[in-house]
Amino acid sequence: PGEFQQLLAERAPSIFYSSELGAKYFTYTRSGQTHFVLFDDADTLAAKLAQLTGCGVQTVFALYPDAAGLIPS
């Protein structure tokens, strides 16, 4: 999470949403190479959970840092 936040702060990228992937992404160039960063946040995870619930899935596994924004305090 720290490296990701640092990358966001350094690059200040335009962030896009891909409905096909159900995730957000941005690109940046470093040392002549283009990098594609695909990520979830609380909004995209909530949308995925809603879709899974609609399909009858009752239990999911998510890493805490990724799902922390969805867990009530």
Side-chain angles (χ1 to χ4, degrees), residues 1 3-4 12-13 17 24 26 28 32-33 35 39 48-50 53 59-61 64-65 68 70:
E3 289 180 48
F4 179 72
Y17 176 73
K24 294 181 180 178
F26 63 90
Y28 68 96
Q33 294 186 327
H35 300 269
F39 65 97
K48 288 176 182 179
L49 289 173
T53 300
T59 304
V60 298
F61 174 81
Y64 176 75
L70 298 174

Side-chain angles (χ1 to χ4, degrees), residues 3-49:
E3 289 180 48
F4 179 72
Q5 292 304 321
Q6 181 179 355
L7 183 62
L8 287 176
E10 289 173 359
R11 301 291 173 165
S14 295
I15 296 174
F16 303 95
Y17 176 73
S18 168
S19 58
E20 293 86 3
L21 299 173
K24 294 181 180 178
Y25 70 93
F26 63 90
T27 61
Y28 68 96
T29 302
R30 180 176 16 198
S31 301
Q33 294 186 327
T34 301
H35 300 269
F36 176 80
V37 180
L38 182 70
F39 65 97
D40 279 308
D41 61 11
D43 293 335
T44 59
L45 282 174
K48 288 176 182 179
L49 289 173

